[in-house]
């Protein structure tokens, strides 16, 4: 705790005075453009990774960067997504997995969750990744298997995300894009899921088109309007 209190003192005296105007503006409200859903892992620090200012990112974290499908589970993450889309009107939602994820390791070895029934129940929302990877697990090394699980989990959670009515409606109207990323801690690299090509590609500055996790869904009623 001493380390945290010292850290806050540093923030108050060294950081805050230089951004007083920004904090004064933010005290009256927020309008972040992006919701960032990632793992609770302490090594993943979105604001640091993206050099983001306060008020820029609406961050939600849980074990395994999971979004339960609509109507299956009432959860904090689903409520936060509804709020972000309906009230904050974010234009992007990113689901970001990461290398060396403990949740993905536990998916591979369920015995690790023997004394953690809540974790085991929560990670059932990631079963789709486990089933997909199990099919080819015999051909993969341990590292490859973990990396595939991490990617497939991001894709699976994107599918769940699309089942939320608020998300589907915003995507249909063209006001929301969703993205699936994987962050490599050791190399400071991000790969983004490109739905058109069906695989992950390195994210880099100056890309012609930001890979989209899914093309905009267009519904007949919207197209006809
Ligand atoms: Zn993790």
């Amino acid at each position: 705790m001493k380390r945290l209190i010292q850290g806050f003192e540093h923030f108050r005296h060294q950081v805050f005075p230089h951004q007083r105007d920004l904090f004064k503006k933010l005290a009256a409200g927020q309008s972040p453009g992006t919701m960032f859903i990632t793992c609770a892992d302490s090594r993943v620090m979105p604001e640091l990774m993206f050099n983001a200012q306060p008020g820029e990112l609406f961050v939600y974290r849980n074990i395994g960067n999971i979004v339960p499908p609509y109507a299956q589970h009432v959860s904090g993450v689903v409520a936060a997504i509804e709020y972000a889309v309906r009230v904050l009107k974010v234009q992007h939602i990113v689901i970001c997995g990461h290398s060396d994820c403990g949740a993905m390791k536990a998916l591979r070895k369920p015995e690790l969750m023997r004394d953690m029934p809540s974790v085991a129940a929560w990670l059932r929302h990631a079963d789709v990744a486990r089933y997909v990877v199990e099919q080819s697990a015999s051909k993969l090394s341990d590292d490859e298997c973990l990396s595939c699980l991490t990617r497939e989990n991001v894709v699976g959670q994107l599918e769940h995300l699309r089942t939320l009515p608020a998300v589907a409606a915003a995507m249909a109207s063209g006001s929301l894009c969703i993205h699936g990323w994987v962050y490599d801690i050791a190399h400071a690299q991000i790969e983004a899921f490109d739905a058109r090509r069906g695989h992950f590609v390195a994210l880099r500055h100056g890309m012609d088109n930001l890979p989209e996790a899914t093309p905009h869904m267009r519904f007949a009623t919207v197209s006809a309007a």
Side-chain angles (χ1 to χ4, degrees):
M1 277 299 112
K2 209 170 161 186
R3 162 75 190 83
L4 287 190
I5 295 162
Q6 278 173 351
F8 186 62
E9 281 303 299
H10 174 82
F11 167 75
R12 258 165 58 87
H13 298 298
Q14 306 296 326
V15 180
F16 180 80
H18 299 292
Q19 294 185 302
R20 209 177 283 276
D21 289 346
L22 174 64
F23 282 104
K24 197 174 168 190
K25 190 171 150 237
L26 288 172
Q30 60 166 338
S31 59
T34 300
M35 177 173 194
F36 196 82
I37 300 168
T38 191
C39 188
D41 192 297
S42 62
R43 297 165 295 178
V44 181
M45 294 180 70
E47 289 84 354
L48 182 71
M49 285 158 57
F50 301 107
N51 194 25
Q53 294 298 304
E56 269 190 88
L57 289 178
F58 189 67
V59 177
Y60 195 97
R61 312 175 64 140
N62 63 36
I63 291 177
N65 36 274
I66 280 167
V67 177
Y70 182 66
Q72 194 176 321
H73 189 88
V74 176
S75 63
V77 60
V78 167
I81 292 165
E82 268 185 14
Y83 180 76
V85 172
R86 291 287 194 197
V87 179
L88 300 177
K89 304 203 182 303
V90 296
Q91 295 104 53
H92 300 274
I93 298 179
V94 180
I95 296 182
C96 187
H98 67 97
S99 57
D100 197 52
C101 181
M104 296 302 106
K105 288 179 182 171
L107 265 189
R108 285 193 62 207
K109 294 187 177 152
E111 65 271 18
L112 294 174
M113 299 185 278
R114 200 174 296 132
D115 299 324
M116 296 186 285
S118 301
V119 173
W122 178 246
L123 288 183
R124 277 205 282 275
H125 295 301
D127 266 353
V128 60
R130 186 162 64 81
Y131 276 69
V132 168
V133 174
E134 260 174 13
Q135 298 222 23
S136 42
S138 58
K139 293 177 240 154
L140 302 172
S141 69
D142 274 6
D143 283 353
E144 285 170 337
C145 202
L146 185 60
S147 150
C148 282
L149 263 179
T150 305
R151 286 176 175 79
E152 294 298 347
N153 179 51
V154 166
V155 174
Q157 302 313 321
L158 286 166
E159 290 297 333
H160 293 172
L161 182 62
R162 293 174 63 180
T163 67
L164 308 187
V167 169
M171 288 175 72
S173 70
S175 61
L176 176 70
C177 295
I178 64 175
H179 312 270
W181 294 357
V182 172
Y183 168 56
D184 182 328
I185 295 170
H187 303 98
Q189 285 172 348
I190 289 178
E191 288 189 338
F193 181 57
D194 185 336
R196 287 189 175 85
R197 290 197 262 176
H199 60 83
F200 281 78
V201 296
L203 195 68
R204 56 183 199 283
H205 186 60
M207 289 179 106
D208 289 341
N209 292 307
L210 189 64
E212 268 193 49
T214 179
H216 291 310
M217 287 190 282
R218 296 284 181 196
F219 293 98
T221 47
V222 177
S223 307

